[in-house]
Amino acid sequence: MKHTILLGALLALAACNTEQVEVSSAPAFNIDAQRITVSGVSSGAYMAGQLHVAHSALFSGAALLAGGPYRCAAGNIQKALGACISGGDIDEPGLLEYARTAADAGQIDSLENLAHDPVWLFHAANDAVVSAEMTRAAASFYSHFTAADSIVVVSDVAAVHGMPTLETGVACDTMAAPFLNACGYDAAGELLRALYGELQGRVAASGQLVPVTLADAASASMLEEALLYVPTACSTGASCGLHVALHGCNQSVEKVGDAFARGAGYNEWAESNNLLVLYPQVASSKLMPMNPLGCWDWWGYTSEDYANQNGAQVRAIKSLLDKLAGRTL
């Protein structure tokens, strides 16, 4: 039951009513390559860590909510649903060896890029789904490559498994759709401040949330459309950073609506700080690969390369970022 909850009980996105924007034909945005970061919740947290480590020359920081260390599952779904959720032996030496070997082989960027990247790790105090051990394991993994003062662990917010917000979603102690929890705690704001430093205050999200088309989505087990929040200034050529926000399982446009993309709290900070926010989405499948709830690939259902630059979802998201920028980032 515990594992079923993890796979089925996270944030939701939905198609927007705005006019479709084809990424390949849309005007490129003026993206500041020094201001690209990533965050995610649960399966999205694992994917955020994979993106950060695999493309550490691109991503300058990461935030993981209810997630564990890079490549925790080591390509094994039993390990994913066992030790990587409930705690136990995750073989940290093996994970470190894989990362170093992959870096030496050019499958991921140099681990030296992680040295001063901000890393924000969150585990809700009342999370009964993912063990707090996993957040500690993520901190331990990063500590081998990242300065201690760059790693922040938050574990004292009395929330359940989900995304804490100021006032959007269900009650703070309730685990129910849309898995945004009104806790009086702005997780999106806190993580963005950790990743970017001092920010302008949050304002109304007066920009546009638009769908953007992902080429070859099927080969990555992703949906053809991602959602992109475009602040007003970014739509008129201003230099803008970019944050990738990754949902958890059961959260795509197939499932629940646009609660995460509109309600998680990112867009209000993005508007006042010139940050594009990209919300990619996973496709669910009841056939091979068996992924009925649309979880990110953090155990290897796309290929054994899922956690490095050859991984289908890692490649797809990197390609989408390049298209948004109109150049190779």
Side-chain angles (χ1 to χ4, degrees), residues 222-290:
M222 293 172 65
L223 295 179
E224 291 184 356
E225 289 182 350
L227 297 179
L228 180 70
Y229 180 75
V230 183
T232 305
C234 301
S235 67
T236 57
S239 176
C240 289
L242 190 153
H243 183 75
V244 180
L246 300 170
H247 64 71
C249 307
N250 219 18
Q251 167 183 12
S252 74
V253 296
E254 300 174 309
K255 302 289 182 179
V256 205
D258 62 359
F260 181 59
R262 290 194 183 276
Y266 293 98
N267 303 341
E268 289 78 5
W269 291 96
E271 183 66 32
S272 53
N273 290 280
N274 291 3
L275 285 175
L276 296 156
V277 185
L278 179 66
Y279 301 95
Q281 300 175 63
V282 180
S284 63
S285 173
K286 295 181 180 179
L287 302 173
M288 294 300 293
M290 185 65 69

Side-chain angles (χ1 to χ4, degrees), residues 113-164:
N113 295 323
L114 299 171
H116 300 290
D117 280 3
V119 175
W120 190 84
L121 305 172
F122 178 90
H123 186 271
N126 298 327
D127 188 335
V129 178
V130 175
S131 170
E133 225 180 292
M134 289 301 94
T135 298
R136 292 192 291 270
S140 179
F141 177 90
Y142 270 113
S143 72
H144 291 272
F145 310 109
T146 306
D149 60 1
S150 295
I151 303 171
V152 174
V153 178
V154 178
S155 58
D156 59 353
V157 178
V160 295
H161 192 72
M163 178 82 177

Side-chain angles (χ1 to χ4, degrees), residues 53-238:
V53 174
H55 282 290
S56 59
L58 174 64
F59 292 99
S60 59
L64 282 57
L65 295 87
Y70 173 72
R71 202 174 170 273
C72 180
N76 187 310
I77 191 170
Q78 284 75 30
K79 187 176 180 182
L81 297 180
C84 293
I85 293 176
S86 303
D89 182 14
I90 59 167
D91 184 22
E92 182 183 69
L95 302 181
L96 295 169
E97 180 182 2
Y98 174 88
R100 291 179 175 122
T101 300
D104 289 343
Q107 295 174 330
I108 65 174
D109 287 341
S110 171
L111 295 166
E112 294 180 359
N113 295 323
L114 299 171
H116 300 290
D117 280 3
V119 175
W120 190 84
L121 305 172
F122 178 90
H123 186 271
N126 298 327
D127 188 335
V129 178
V130 175
S131 170
E133 225 180 292
M134 289 301 94
T135 298
R136 292 192 291 270
S140 179
F141 177 90
Y142 270 113
S143 72
H144 291 272
F145 310 109
T146 306
D149 60 1
S150 295
I151 303 171
V152 174
V153 178
V154 178
S155 58
D156 59 353
V157 178
V160 295
H161 192 72
M163 178 82 177
T165 71
L166 285 174
E167 57 187 10
T168 302
V170 298
C172 191
D173 61 357
T174 301
M175 190 170 168
F179 305 98
L180 301 176
N181 294 92
C183 296
Y185 181 79
D186 186 2
E190 293 298 322
L191 72 87
L192 289 174
R193 277 195 292 265
L195 299 182
Y196 289 102
E198 194 64 33
L199 295 177
Q200 298 296 316
R202 70 196 301 270
V203 298
S206 56
Q208 289 188 307
L209 185 66
V210 299
V212 291
T213 300
L214 173 66
D216 299 323
S219 64
S221 297
M222 293 172 65
L223 295 179
E224 291 184 356
E225 289 182 350
L227 297 179
L228 180 70
Y229 180 75
V230 183
T232 305
C234 301
S235 67
T236 57

